Amino acid sequence: MRNQFTTYVCSTVLVLCYGCASYPVNPPLEKVDENAGYRMVNRTLGEKNSDDLFVVLSLSGGGTRAAALDYGVLEYMDRIQFGADNRSLLDEVDIISSSSGSSLPTAYYGLFGQQAFLDDFVDDVLYQQVETALKRRILNPAQWPRLASGKFSRGDLVAEYFDKHIFEGRTFADMQQQRPVIMLNATDMGIGAQFSFIQGYFDLICSDLSHVPVARAVTASMAFTPAFTPITLKNYNDGRCGYNKPEWVQAALDAGVKADPLVHAAAVDVMSYEAIDKRPYIHLLDSGVSDNMGVRAPQLAFKVTDQFDQVMDGTIEKLVIIMVDAKPKSYFKGDLKAKPPNAFTSIKTSASRPLANYSSETVNLIERNVSDRREKLFELRHTKTTCNDHARTLCEQLEMDEACNEKAFASCVSMFGAGLDDPPRAYDIYLIHVSFRSIDDKARRESFQSIPTKLELPKDQIDRLIEVAPELIHDDPGFHHLLRDLEARIRD
């Protein structure tokens, strides 16, 4: 009887303690400082990273399939060398932007650095039975009281596992000081827009990112329904941190949606965080809902010039955008039967298959933007050259002085809407799309595309994904143009 009573008391205490369980609340920010926190401006250049070559890596979602392909791409980039100092293309990476499962390698790289990533990531993460461990943790009855607390969810349980077993309790304050800047992306469930774990976004909610565990950002990026639950952030934007909306936000709102739909939509999203009475909490889930390619965050940053000044100040000579697309493709097994799929299958399918199509649209959007940028810059320079030739010829015929040249030139460019300011410095753009679609052999291509989106895969599949990466890169014409222009060589 006594033993039963003791067991009852201990169980009650355990339930009460777990019933008080709560997710780690993101801390408030005392004052916005645009020169502090985890921002691009605070990432220094590495010894072999130059400003004239700007490299952006965008990594798609896809669980361990994506993470393994990402590793293969980054490992191969380390073998591409150029310059007198034999720096690698990986040394030159300035931004890594990730979606969903790719946030695991991205965060690992940002915390532990290039060499540790190349040496240890495969054994530390890819070969581990992560999915099995998470299932055991979630199904463990000892965790159920915590999950029943109302302030602690499966997503928080997953974040705890990542924090302990992969990221060693590290926060964004522990991120490497040198580039690349790491952009771990999630989806703000309330507005359906992308939310990135960089201080600029946390300024919007008056919160200090530096004390947020990196594991929570990775979990938010991967919080794919119905397996995971969203990660919660507290919104403190009640005026306490001296937040002022960026100039580009008001400019975009004033210009209207037709001027630039992407920037206007982002401005509207920014304004939503000021409505703290309606949005005291922000719930984040899988980034694939808003961008399964991890490319929209840097794309927006390039459009908003106060985000990355290097884009407009003439520093960049070569802009390289490498999109690693691990998108799957398989037939839906439910189509084999007339009976409608059950609720679980319907939720899972509706949440995943449209994302694969959306990632293709994102790639097409980036390709169009790059093409449009090249065309507009060419037209602008052509107009100014033509106006300059016209002004010089006219003033020579009239035997007028230099003032005539200046006036005629100004009149000409004004007529064509070109403006008097010097156009942005021309830089070469290399768009490299790494995708299973480039594999010619249908059976082999489908064997990669049919690898399931899971958090653990057999070792042989992981090795195949790593090994195929160089082949996929070489299939892109933009990669060969880059190799030629850099006079690069490939180390064995």
Side-chain angles (χ1 to χ4, degrees):
M1 185 73 177
R2 184 176 180 181
N3 289 338
Q4 290 179 341
F5 178 75
T6 302
T7 301
Y8 172 78
V9 171
C10 291
S11 299
T12 301
V13 171
L14 183 65
V15 169
L16 289 174
C17 289
Y18 273 163
C20 297
S22 175
Y23 67 92
V25 180
N26 52 297
L29 181 68
E30 291 186 6
K31 185 174 179 57
V32 171
D33 182 351
E34 294 183 356
N35 294 310
Y38 191 72
R39 308 174 192 266
M40 182 72 179
V41 68
N42 292 326
R43 300 303 100 182
T44 60
L45 283 175
E47 182 181 351
K48 294 185 177 181
N49 189 323
S50 60
D51 248 343
D52 58 344
L53 176 60
F54 200 92
V55 180
V56 179
L57 264 176
S58 68
L59 309 178
S60 81
T64 297
R65 181 187 65 252
L69 182 62
D70 296 337
Y71 177 84
V73 169
L74 270 67
E75 191 275 335
Y76 187 64
M77 289 175 65
D78 185 55
R79 293 163 51 196
I80 300 169
Q81 297 180 325
F82 55 95
D85 56 355
N86 288 325
R87 64 186 182 276
S88 74
L89 188 58
L90 188 59
D91 293 329
E92 288 280 9
V93 174
D94 296 280
I95 300 172
I96 304 180
S97 178
S98 65
S99 175
S100 196
S102 287
S103 291
L104 274 171
T106 301
Y108 193 102
Y109 191 107
L111 281 176
F112 302 110
Q114 181 185 122
Q115 199 57 53
F117 174 81
L118 294 173
D119 292 343
D120 303 327
F121 181 72
V122 173
D123 289 328
D124 283 357
V125 181
L126 291 181
Y127 286 164
Q128 296 301 311
Q129 303 299 299
V130 174
E131 189 167 318
T132 299
L134 290 176
K135 286 179 180 177
R136 287 174 179 169
R137 189 174 178 84
I138 292 172
L139 297 175
N140 184 352
Q143 302 292 347
W144 294 353
R146 302 176 75 199
L147 295 174
S149 70
K151 293 183 178 180
F152 193 85
S153 68
R154 295 192 305 278
D156 301 313
L157 207 59
V158 171
E160 279 188 350
Y161 174 86
F162 287 155
D163 192 56
K164 179 179 179 180
H165 295 282
I166 296 179
F167 300 117
E168 302 176 355
R170 302 192 186 198
T171 69
F172 278 85
D174 299 311
M175 282 286 192
Q176 298 285 309
Q177 290 299 312
Q178 294 181 342
R179 295 183 193 175
V181 65
I182 300 299
M183 301 182 75
L184 302 173
N185 303 301
T187 298
D188 182 338
M189 196 173 179
I191 56 177
Q194 193 167 78
F195 188 97
S196 300
F197 280 77
I198 53 177
Q199 187 56 51
Y201 275 81
F202 272 67
D203 288 348
L204 303 178
I205 58 174
C206 285
S207 182
D208 186 356
L209 176 62
S210 63
H211 297 295
V212 173
V214 171
R216 289 189 66 76
V218 172
T219 304
S221 183
M222 299 172 60
F224 185 76
T225 56
F228 295 178
T229 50
I231 293 295
T232 301
L233 296 179
K234 183 171 175 55
N235 185 1
Y236 300 97
N237 193 350
D238 57 3
R240 71 176 68 190
C241 69
Y243 167 80
N244 293 306
K245 62 176 175 287
E247 293 181 3
W248 70 265
V249 172
Q250 191 59 55
L253 294 174
D254 292 343
V257 66
K258 290 184 179 180
D260 192 317
L262 175 65
V263 176
H264 184 271
V268 173
D269 293 337
V270 166
M271 295 299 296
S272 76
Y273 296 103
E274 296 186 16
I276 192 171
D277 57 325
K278 296 185 174 80
R279 309 198 69 206
Y281 296 96
I282 309 300
H283 300 285
L284 304 177
L285 75 166
D286 195 303
S287 55
V289 175
S290 56
D291 174 19
N292 199 37
M293 280 300 299
V295 77
R296 292 194 176 223
Q299 179 196 16
L300 176 62
F302 278 109
K303 281 178 170 285
V304 180
T305 56
D306 62 357
Q307 296 282 318
F308 293 148
D309 290 338
Q310 298 99 318
V311 179
M312 300 300 291
D313 69 4
T315 302
I316 296 177
E317 295 182 1
K318 290 180 174 61
L319 172 62
V320 181
I321 302 173
I322 302 176
M323 297 181 290
V324 183
D325 184 357
K327 182 177 67 176
K329 183 178 181 181
S330 60
Y331 292 106
F332 177 45
K333 294 181 180 178
D335 290 339
L336 295 172
K337 298 180 290 185
K339 182 180 179 181
N342 59 36
F344 180 85
T345 302
S346 298
I347 293 172
K348 181 180 178 182
T349 303
S350 62
S352 59
R353 290 186 176 263
L355 301 186
N357 295 330
Y358 184 58
S359 66
S360 295
E361 293 175 6
T362 300
V363 171
N364 292 336
L365 177 63
I366 297 300
E367 290 173 342
R368 289 197 303 271
N369 285 344
V370 169
S371 177
D372 290 346
R373 202 275 177 190
R374 286 187 179 125
E375 184 176 342
K376 288 179 181 179
L377 186 58
F378 174 80
E379 290 177 356
L380 179 62
R381 292 184 177 277
H382 178 72
T383 297
K384 292 199 169 186
T385 299
T386 301
C387 284
N388 185 59
D389 293 342
H390 169 73
R392 185 176 64 253
T393 300
L394 176 64
C395 293
E396 285 178 353
Q397 291 175 346
L398 296 176
E399 298 182 352
M400 302 290 284
D401 57 13
E402 185 64 27
C404 171
N405 283 350
E406 294 176 0
K407 186 175 180 179
F409 176 75
S411 176
C412 180
V413 295
S414 176
M415 181 184 303
F416 289 100
L420 287 172
D421 294 335
D422 289 337
R425 179 178 175 180
Y427 51 80
D428 297 322
I429 303 176
Y430 305 83
L431 186 61
I432 300 168
H433 185 197
V434 181
S435 170
F436 297 128
R437 290 184 300 176
S438 65
I439 300 175
D440 290 331
D441 183 87
K442 181 180 178 181
R444 185 165 172 263
R445 178 176 66 251
E446 290 182 348
S447 73
F448 282 104
Q449 291 177 322
S450 62
I451 294 175
T453 302
K454 300 176 64 177
L455 288 181
E456 64 182 59
L457 293 172
K459 185 176 180 295
D460 64 311
Q461 286 189 341
I462 292 171
D463 292 341
R464 286 179 60 220
L465 286 160
I466 293 173
E467 291 166 1
V468 79
E471 173 188 336
L472 302 185
I473 299 174
H474 273 275
D475 283 337
D476 189 281
F479 175 74
H480 292 281
H481 295 158
L482 178 64
L483 286 185
R484 179 197 63 207
D485 292 351
L486 292 178
E487 298 182 357
R489 50 204 172 274
I490 300 172
R491 174 173 52 83
D492 293 333

